[in-house]
Amino acid sequence: MCSIAQIENFEPLLEKVEQDLLGYNLAEALKTIDSALLETPVSLQQKHVLKALKVQALVSSELYEEALIVSTVVLRADYCDRVYRIRVFLQRALLYEILGKLDKAEVELKDVDTLYEDPTTVKDDIYGEYLYRKSSFYRVKGEDSLALQYAEQAYAYGLENNYKSVMAVSSMLIGFLNCLLYTSPSPRD
């Protein structure tokens, strides 16, 4: 069983890792996570939280094979928090999208759909990420109109809840998709 001291020390550690991920200080995030997994006394659930965040760092670092291995471990754990399961599914969807395995990306997004269908699932900034991840998926799939709908939903959700990173990513997608949908190709000379 995890002691109170272990739990109290976990929040600052988690905050540091989240800040490193947000700032794309990926090497530092991975170092902190690996150190905590090896040297810090944390509960089994806290280890899975760290591993879920490690998946994000690995995908962002383009270490896809390792990200798939770690993500499989996290998803096999029945006691992994729903929020972190969603985060892992989203990272796997991104990874498969990058690799051009759209059928697998779609499965990951459907797993997230299922979790969000449960009314007890908290909709926070990760829900905004889910919306823009779906937008990106449909953009890659060539369904630009549907991709634009999801990007606009993500932006509105981010605006409503003041999630600036959600608004930023969805704004970029909206701009890109509007260019694709509403600009006609220029005639060649």
Side-chain angles (χ1 to χ4, degrees):
M1 185 163 174
C2 183
S3 75
I4 300 289
Q6 292 169 333
I7 294 169
E8 288 174 3
N9 290 330
F10 189 69
E11 289 306 316
L13 172 70
L14 192 57
E15 192 173 307
K16 180 188 179 338
V17 171
E18 291 278 13
Q19 286 301 313
D20 285 339
L21 290 172
L22 188 61
Y24 279 86
N25 192 357
L26 304 172
E28 184 63 26
L30 287 168
K31 179 181 164 188
T32 302
I33 292 167
D34 288 340
S35 175
L37 288 170
L38 293 173
E39 300 166 10
T40 306
V42 292
S43 72
L44 198 52
Q45 186 167 359
Q46 290 169 336
K47 283 184 181 184
H48 278 30
V49 167
L50 289 170
K51 288 178 183 178
L53 295 174
K54 183 173 184 172
V55 171
Q56 183 176 344
L58 290 168
V59 171
S60 295
S61 299
E62 300 179 11
L63 299 169
Y64 304 138
E65 201 169 308
E66 188 177 353
L68 281 173
I69 292 167
V70 175
S71 68
T72 300
V73 170
V74 173
L75 294 175
R76 284 187 180 157
D78 293 334
Y79 41 82
C80 185
D81 183 91
R82 187 179 307 174
V83 170
Y84 290 98
R85 290 182 76 77
I86 289 170
R87 289 177 75 164
V88 170
F89 284 134
L90 290 175
Q91 288 302 306
R92 287 170 60 101
L94 171 60
L95 187 153
Y96 287 131
E97 183 183 313
I98 291 167
L99 297 175
K101 297 180 178 185
L102 297 183
D103 55 332
K104 290 185 176 190
E106 188 170 29
V107 168
E108 303 298 329
L109 290 171
K110 284 183 179 179
D111 286 337
V112 177
D113 289 338
T114 301
L115 290 169
Y116 277 125
E117 286 171 4
D118 181 342
T120 63
T121 301
V122 175
K123 290 184 176 176
D124 56 9
D125 60 323
I126 303 303
Y127 182 73
E129 181 180 343
Y130 157 73
L131 292 171
Y132 69 66
R133 177 65 32 237
K134 285 190 86 156
S135 172
S136 180
F137 167 77
Y138 285 114
R139 180 193 59 79
V140 171
K141 198 172 174 185
E143 297 180 33
D144 296 336
S145 293
L146 190 54
L148 182 58
Q149 289 175 24
Y150 277 107
E152 289 171 341
Q153 285 178 31
Y155 183 82
Y157 180 78
L159 183 63
E160 177 183 327
N161 294 286
N162 198 31
Y163 295 136
K164 292 181 174 144
S165 63
V166 171
M167 292 187 315
V169 173
S170 55
S171 290
M172 178 196 64
L173 284 165
I174 290 168
F176 179 74
L177 290 161
N178 277 324
C179 284
L180 286 176
L181 290 167
Y182 301 113
T183 56
S184 46
S186 59
R188 303 225 178 229
D189 293 328

